[in-house]
Amino acid sequence: MIAPRWRKVLRDTFGQRGRSLLAVLAMAAGVFEITTMVHEYALLEPALHGMYARTRPASATLLVDRVSDALVDSVRCMPGVGDAEARPVIVARVRVGPDEWVPARLQVVRDFGAQRLDTFEPDHGAWPPGPDDVLLERTALRVAKVGIGATLALRIEGTADRSVRVAGTVHAAGLPPAWMEHMVPGFVAWNSSLREGGVESAQIRMVVADHPLEEGHIREVADSVRTRLERLGHTVTRVTVPPPGRHPHADQMEAFLFLLLAFGILSFALSAVLVASMMHALMAEQVRQVGMMKAIGATDRQVAGLYLGQIALLAAGALIVGVPPGLLAGRTFAVFAAGVLNTDVSGAPFPLWGVAVVAFIGFVVPPLVALGPVRRAARIPVREALADDPPAPRLGGRRMRGLEGLAWLPRPLRLTLRATFSRRLRLALTVGMLAVGGATFMSALNVSSAWLRAVNDDFGRRHYDLAVGLDQPQPVAAVAAALAAVPEVERAEYWPAASPYLVGPGGVATRTVSLVGPDPGSRLLDLALARGRWLAPGDRHTAVVNGAVLALDPDLAVGDSVRVRLRGRTEAFQIVGIARELTPMASVYAPRADVLAATGQHDDEARSLRIVTRAHDDAGERAAARALEREFERRELPVTGLMRMRDARQGILDHLVIIWSVLAAAALVVVVVGGLGLTSMLTLGVVQRTREIGILAAIGATPTAIARDVWIEALVIGALSWVVAVALAAPLSWGLETACGNIFFKTGLGFHVSPLATGGWLALVLVLASISSFLPARRAARLTVREALSHA
Amino acid sequence: MIRLRSVTKTFETPAGAFAALRGVDLDIAAGEFTAIVGRSGSGKSTLLNLMAGIDRPSAGTVAVGEATLDTLSNDRLASWRGRAVGIVFQFFQLLPTLTAAENVMLPMDFAGTIRPAERRRRALELLARVDVPEQADKLPATLSGGQQQRVAIARALANDPPILLADEPTGNLDSATGADILRLLGELSAAGKTVVLVTHERGALDGTTRTVTLADGRVVS
Ligand SMILES: Nc1ncnc2c1ncn2[C@@H]1O[C@H](COP(=O)(O)OP(=O)(O)O)[C@@H](O)[C@H]1O
Ligand SMILES: [Mg+2]
């Protein structure tokens, strides 16, 4: 036996199906957002914090002259060292097609069964590998274009080509996915045949015993280890300390989560606003019934309870509608994000705290945002509520005088628009909602367009098509002869290059930078300068550094000295300019002669080439790259790397997918919410003008004309929202462009507004307005004169 | 039973303050069947609303039964109204999505007076008493005006209040149906209810025991 007041609630809810459905969808949008975020976080949290730490990432890596078990044992016993493991690395290239090679890094593992640092797990196939086997990281199969059991052709500097069998795959959660880095990570056994000929770089990885996340402490310990090793008669050529505790793709992950959170909160807030305005509309329609109930003895509290109950019912519907797609979207995002991190999402069930959060948001927020309108309606004096023309609890009601100037419009349309503009707060809510949706949409396009532009601009300043690295410095004459034999090559320049350490404050070597010595007169490189000037012919010991160098040492400025350590010596260059470059790789450009001197190369030798091809399309560049590989091989000039600039550019553009997917999903939700808001506003307008519409129909307005006016009303609101959206999109795009650029490239992307986005949204919002107006317009057109005039 | 002392009610209008009642003193004894008459705009509805606690006076006191309405909070006033008075309106004011029986049960629900299991039985009894037993499970929109007003009277009786207040209950009905409704109110008065009827139809005065005439917000006789 249900009490009559709850029967009223049930009948009102299920009787007005269209309106209830709109309200449920509006609430469901918020529930969807929250469920997505909670589920995604619940799935990713273990991957983010657990999995990487469980690989026991090395605090530091030392490059030494040779490794032995005894040496590693002694490192393990040095003060401050927690553990150490020998992990020699073989740098190679693997063949992925005729004359096409991809770089590979093969780690030599002491004991697959007793890994200590940077651990990995068996995935598929053999474990451990035999002497002629390699295990590839599971994400590398696609890059190497092989399957398990296949034979891999390997080329290692200074040795004859060989082949190994891909015996299986492993999962190394600490390595970025191979497809994002476009290189092949692999693992070979201590007794691997590849080690013959001493081609490996002997590396010892270590973790510190205490304060594993303090970079300064790690450096101190690593430095003392180096000193001790040198005292033992070893040479230590390099000490690298990666950012402690951070997955190599942590930055991208954070950008992704930041965007997801920002837009999740934004669309949740919008949904809450929409729910509030719908509840306001609901209460406006119920004023007379509130009066009736209060007249027969209902207290304010009972009336409010009744409507809050109705809202709880709608909220329950919203949970049913919003949770399943939210779970799905959360999983989809989590899987995508885990792919970027090269981890798996756990199969963890939706956590209990998540259920609590979603239920709280789903059940408590709607009544909370409705509390204002409900209380206001419940407090209306009976006399007012039952008056002939019951007042809606008003949300701003003054008339717009300005519309009187639109005398040229047909009178019925003027009536419609005047009603629209007289409800200012409701209009502002609807316009605001659509505008935020539009701004999100436009920002998504603006950011990706800015990204595209920045990348194209950056690569457009490099007027070469291929970058080739040779194993050894070779006589320029021999290299030139080889190039001359390749008709696809137009011309080339030889730029000495090296990878020294940047010497930071206090004389401590920090990260590797790339030291490049272009010909000062070269026209192949035309970098944009943020400050200062480019290298000039005749410069000595000067340098142009890019933004990534400043990110490593923010104190550097034009006029300061940048110091690098190379071959045991420290070289200083005076900074004359700061270049704007997109790459996160820190680069120091110095005069060719200085770089030659620092690297010990001779002027008539070449090791790194910049090549301009004759044809500037994908096929032409690919053909040139293959022909070059063949020609260098024929002339026994071993190549260590050949990069097509087109591939490099595409690699950077591929990271856009992350941004785009988040923004597109967010824009979609916001647009749906905005459309719902518009529909509910138009419907309410029709309901409140029922009597007026009846009079218009009685004096001869056709249903078509009445429907058309509702449609025009929607278009006017849509166009208005577009204007606001354009204004909102500018700062939003700027903020996102700056944030994305800083996270990925350590520099802003440069403000950019895409005309396509701006125009596209205008078209889209008008279509959306038309769709939103369909039901309300039909409702208005179907009102019969009798119904309309008897409307109480 | 009902006692008004120096009651004044002024409304704020765009044209300035307007006094709808000016210093009304009125006593209505238990069991009386009082008709309040006067021209349209003379203040009849305003007076009735004050007795029902639907509105509050600008000055003066209103006491109904044991209660002095001015001292009650809005919520207490509503609860008091649910138990102590039954109100009948010109436009019936039935909730459109509830059946006749449910509309009658609603005041019991709000007041929490009758045991839930008893409510429907009582509602059906009341509907039988006002002669619409077979309309119990129909929605108001499917009933005639006279039937709707009978349902509204049954609803006013739901919590067995001692006082019935009716504001032009026949104003929206044809004269024959209206006469039936007035006869019903007469019967209720005879059964012991204190009935106050606002009307501007002279013919309605037949069964009443007393007539109060209002003009320009004052009791003139
Ligand atoms: N809410 C109100 N605001 C302003 N004036 C009102 C209001 N209610 C009633 N009045 C005025 O008070 C006077 C008395 O109204 P009312 O009691 O409804 O008259 P009756 O019921 O006798 O026709 C009328 O002139 C009416 O215009
Ligand atoms: Mg009246």
Side-chain angles (χ1 to χ4, degrees):
Chain A
M1 190 70 187
I2 307 170
R5 63 178 117 159
W6 299 121
R7 285 196 212 175
K8 165 180 158 49
V9 164
L10 290 176
R11 292 215 192 109
D12 285 356
T13 308
F14 292 102
Q16 300 215 304
R17 257 180 241 129
R19 222 235 341 248
S20 298
L21 193 69
L22 283 183
V24 164
L25 286 179
M27 295 178 191
V31 169
F32 167 83
E33 276 304 331
I34 297 297
T35 311
T36 303
M37 284 196 279
V38 168
H39 196 211
E40 189 199 1
Y41 182 78
L43 290 173
L44 275 184
E45 207 275 339
L48 272 178
H49 297 110
M51 288 210 200
Y52 182 58
R54 244 177 292 138
T55 65
R56 300 200 70 205
S59 317
T61 301
L62 296 102
L63 180 59
V64 293
D65 48 351
R66 64 198 134 79
V67 291
S68 64
D69 287 351
L71 183 66
V72 173
D73 281 341
S74 70
V75 169
R76 226 172 260 152
C77 299
M78 289 179 185
V81 176
D83 203 347
E85 182 176 334
R87 204 49 94 70
V89 169
I90 301 172
V91 175
R93 300 209 296 156
V94 301
R95 209 173 81 114
V96 296
D99 298 311
E100 275 190 73
W101 299 80
V102 171
R105 267 175 74 88
L106 308 177
Q107 300 185 19
V108 182
V109 179
R110 180 69 189 88
D111 183 350
F112 278 77
Q115 305 169 40
R116 290 163 177 269
L117 302 174
D118 287 328
T119 64
F120 50 91
E121 288 162 3
D123 183 51
H124 283 106
W127 176 275
D132 295 316
D133 291 344
V134 63
L135 301 185
L136 294 187
E137 214 292 316
R138 61 181 190 176
T139 54
L141 291 180
R142 248 167 76 190
V143 179
K145 297 182 182 156
V146 290
I148 293 173
T151 303
L152 205 59
L154 275 183
R155 180 169 285 178
I156 302 172
E157 291 182 24
T159 70
D161 287 0
R162 21 187 147 180
S163 54
V164 288
R165 194 174 68 95
V166 179
T169 53
V170 302
H171 175 212
L175 291 180
W179 51 267
M180 279 188 86
E181 306 292 292
H182 210 71
M183 72 116 75
V184 176
F187 300 86
V188 297
W190 202 248
N191 61 357
S192 170
S193 57
L194 294 179
R195 296 184 75 188
E196 286 157 20
V199 293
E200 68 199 25
S201 79
Q203 299 190 3
I204 297 174
R205 303 190 180 198
M206 51 159 277
V207 286
V208 290
D210 316 295
H211 315 297
L213 297 181
E214 277 174 32
E215 193 169 337
H217 172 72
I218 295 170
R219 284 193 187 287
E220 275 169 31
V221 173
D223 257 13
S224 91
V225 170
R226 186 187 65 181
T227 319
R228 280 161 199 270
L229 285 175
E230 281 168 352
R231 256 188 252 135
L232 290 173
H234 288 273
T235 1
V236 180
T237 22
R238 204 159 84 192
V239 181
T240 33
V241 177
R246 283 180 73 77
H247 188 281
H249 277 176
D251 285 351
Q252 294 173 34
M253 197 58 227
E254 278 162 14
F256 177 74
L257 289 179
F258 162 76
L259 285 174
L260 215 58
L261 186 73
F263 281 102
I265 288 173
L266 190 71
S267 36
F268 175 76
L270 276 182
S271 139
V273 169
L274 175 57
V275 170
S277 76
M278 281 184 168
M279 292 307 125
H280 174 78
L282 177 90
M283 295 319 296
E285 281 183 49
Q286 288 283 323
V287 166
R288 186 176 286 272
Q289 296 198 33
V290 168
M292 297 178 198
M293 290 189 285
K294 289 177 70 169
I296 60 169
T299 61
D300 292 5
R301 199 181 298 250
Q302 284 172 324
V303 171
L306 191 144
Y307 288 105
L308 291 177
Q310 178 166 11
I311 289 154
L313 189 67
L314 295 171
L319 282 173
I320 293 169
V321 172
V323 166
L327 290 176
L328 194 71
R331 171 159 280 276
T332 308
F333 277 133
V335 166
F336 178 82
V340 172
L341 290 177
N342 189 20
T343 63
D344 300 312
V345 295
S346 61
F350 199 66
L352 217 58
W353 64 264
V355 175
V357 168
V358 170
F360 177 83
I361 299 281
F363 259 127
V364 177
V365 170
L368 215 61
V369 298
L371 207 57
V374 167
R375 283 217 326 226
R376 228 173 302 136
R379 282 187 187 159
I380 287 185
V382 180
R383 179 178 52 75
E384 275 179 36
L386 293 182
D388 280 346
D389 198 7
R394 281 202 106 133
L395 277 179
R398 266 163 299 132
R399 288 275 141 111
M400 284 273 283
R401 290 272 159 244
L403 281 164
E404 306 305 326
L406 301 176
W408 47 273
L409 286 175
R411 181 165 290 278
L413 181 58
R414 236 180 328 160
L415 282 176
T416 309
L417 292 182
R418 198 170 58 196
T420 309
F421 283 96
S422 68
R423 301 276 174 194
R424 279 202 208 152
L425 185 58
R426 197 194 299 158
L427 179 71
L429 279 177
T430 312
V431 167
M433 235 164 340
L434 283 174
V436 171
T440 311
F441 176 90
M442 286 188 265
S443 301
L445 288 182
N446 284 347
V447 170
S448 49
S449 157
W451 190 297
L452 188 70
R453 228 178 46 130
V455 171
N456 282 343
D457 179 64
D458 192 72
F459 279 86
R461 291 171 173 279
R462 292 159 214 276
H463 304 285
Y464 51 91
D465 305 296
L466 304 171
V468 179
L470 298 177
D471 179 15
Q472 298 290 324
Q474 301 287 353
V476 167
V479 174
L483 293 176
V486 179
E488 286 90 343
V489 168
E490 191 176 292
R491 62 199 177 89
E493 288 187 11
Y494 314 122
W495 295 355
S499 302
Y501 285 86
L502 183 67
V503 180
V508 189
T510 55
R511 307 274 155 70
T512 342
V513 297
S514 142
L515 175 65
V516 184
D519 195 332
S522 171
R523 281 181 290 113
L524 293 192
L525 194 62
D526 168 28
L527 297 183
L529 291 165
R531 236 159 290 140
R533 63 165 177 86
W534 184 243
L535 302 173
D539 271 5
R540 287 313 303 260
H541 296 289
T542 58
V544 170
V545 300
N546 69 3
V549 174
L550 297 193
L552 292 178
D553 187 350
D555 294 335
L556 289 178
V558 173
D560 292 347
S561 269
V562 58
R563 289 180 299 159
V564 297
R565 185 167 300 152
L566 185 63
R567 301 196 304 153
R569 298 213 322 264
T570 298
E571 307 273 346
F573 301 93
Q574 200 201 7
I575 300 176
V576 294
I578 312 269
R580 220 196 285 278
E581 267 192 304
L582 269 194
T583 165
M585 178 69 202
S587 298
V588 176
Y589 299 92
R592 184 180 149 82
D594 293 334
V595 177
L596 281 174
T599 56
Q601 286 178 37
H602 298 288
D603 196 21
D604 55 359
E605 284 178 341
R607 193 175 172 190
S608 112
L609 325 175
R610 300 293 190 278
I611 293 171
V612 181
T613 58
R614 223 167 271 286
H616 297 288
D617 54 19
D618 186 49
E621 289 164 16
R622 198 177 288 273
R626 286 195 184 143
L628 274 173
E629 291 268 12
R630 256 195 317 272
E631 194 57 34
F632 280 121
E633 192 175 345
R634 209 173 58 79
R635 292 174 185 249
E636 292 178 4
L637 300 169
V639 171
T640 52
L642 190 155
M643 181 172 67
R644 298 198 308 147
M645 299 313 282
R646 186 181 295 274
D647 289 338
R649 196 189 63 180
Q650 194 54 46
I652 293 184
L653 287 179
D654 284 347
H655 288 73
L656 242 182
V657 175
I658 299 173
I659 307 296
W660 229 96
S661 65
V662 180
L663 293 179
L668 190 75
V669 172
V670 180
V671 163
V672 167
V673 170
L676 287 174
L678 184 53
T679 306
S680 79
M681 172 181 174
L682 294 171
T683 308
L684 189 62
V686 170
V687 168
Q688 288 184 336
R689 295 196 315 118
T690 296
R691 197 187 287 268
E692 185 181 307
I693 291 170
I695 294 167
L696 289 176
I699 59 173
T702 63
T704 318
I706 290 171
R708 190 203 51 211
D709 285 355
V710 175
W711 179 51
I712 292 177
E713 181 188 5
L715 293 184
V716 168
I717 295 173
L720 198 62
S721 83
W722 176 80
V723 173
V724 180
V726 169
L728 282 181
L732 188 60
S733 302
W734 182 81
L736 285 172
E737 284 160 7
T738 307
C740 287
N742 275 319
I743 290 169
F744 284 93
F745 304 126
K746 313 286 175 221
T747 169
L749 286 181
F751 181 58
H752 177 61
V753 171
S754 144
L756 188 74
T758 314
W761 175 249
L762 180 59
L764 213 68
V765 78
L766 294 181
V767 170
L768 188 73
S770 304
I771 294 171
S772 301
S773 70
F774 179 73
L775 286 177
R778 200 177 63 168
R779 181 169 176 165
R782 283 190 177 172
L783 282 173
T784 64
V785 175
R786 189 187 54 77
E787 268 173 356
L789 294 182
S790 69
H791 177 78
Chain B
M1 195 75 192
I2 302 175
R3 209 154 78 115
L4 284 79
R5 284 292 172 272
S6 321
V7 167
T8 297
K9 177 71 182 177
T10 49
F11 291 111
E12 294 304 325
T13 67
F18 175 83
L21 293 177
R22 309 159 191 244
V24 171
D25 291 299
L26 182 64
D27 286 277
I28 292 173
E32 270 189 311
F33 185 2
T34 310
I36 298 177
V37 296
R39 280 198 227 156
S40 177
S42 57
K44 306 182 296 293
S45 296
T46 306
L47 184 63
L48 200 79
N49 285 346
L50 293 180
M51 295 180 189
I54 277 176
D55 213 348
R56 292 174 184 275
S58 309
T61 58
V62 179
V64 180
E66 308 287 292
T68 310
L69 303 193
D70 328 67
T71 62
L72 298 180
S73 70
N74 281 344
D75 267 3
R76 283 174 166 274
L77 197 59
S79 306
W80 167 83
R81 186 162 59 234
R83 289 160 216 258
V85 298
I87 310 175
V88 180
F89 298 95
Q90 179 179 352
F91 293 104
F92 326 134
Q93 312 288 18
L94 297 172
L95 286 155
T97 52
L98 292 183
T99 64
E102 287 162 354
N103 262 290
V104 177
M105 290 156 72
L106 198 55
M108 310 180 206
D109 185 11
F110 285 131
T113 43
I114 318 292
R115 283 202 301 123
E118 295 284 304
R119 286 177 190 163
R120 184 168 163 86
R121 201 180 48 73
R122 177 167 169 79
L124 294 179
E125 269 174 29
L126 289 170
L127 288 171
R129 179 158 170 205
V130 298
D131 278 339
V132 284
E134 64 287 353
Q135 313 300 341
D137 296 318
K138 293 189 184 162
L139 291 176
T142 64
L143 305 182
S144 72
Q147 288 170 330
Q148 288 193 50
Q149 198 58 300
R150 284 169 188 275
V151 174
I153 292 172
R155 182 179 65 180
L157 297 171
N159 290 323
D160 198 19
I163 302 170
L164 272 187
L165 304 173
D167 190 354
E168 307 213 28
T170 61
N172 221 27
L173 303 173
D174 61 70
S175 52
T177 316
D180 287 346
I181 295 293
L182 290 177
R183 203 170 309 123
L184 181 57
L185 290 175
E187 285 167 30
L188 292 169
S189 162
K193 303 280 182 204
T194 307
V195 180
V196 181
L197 167 71
V198 165
T199 183
H200 59 260
E201 292 170 63
R202 287 280 146 190
L205 305 179
D206 285 354
T208 57
T209 56
R210 180 182 170 192
T211 302
V212 175
T213 308
L214 282 186
D216 290 336
R218 288 186 223 275
V219 178
V220 292
S221 71

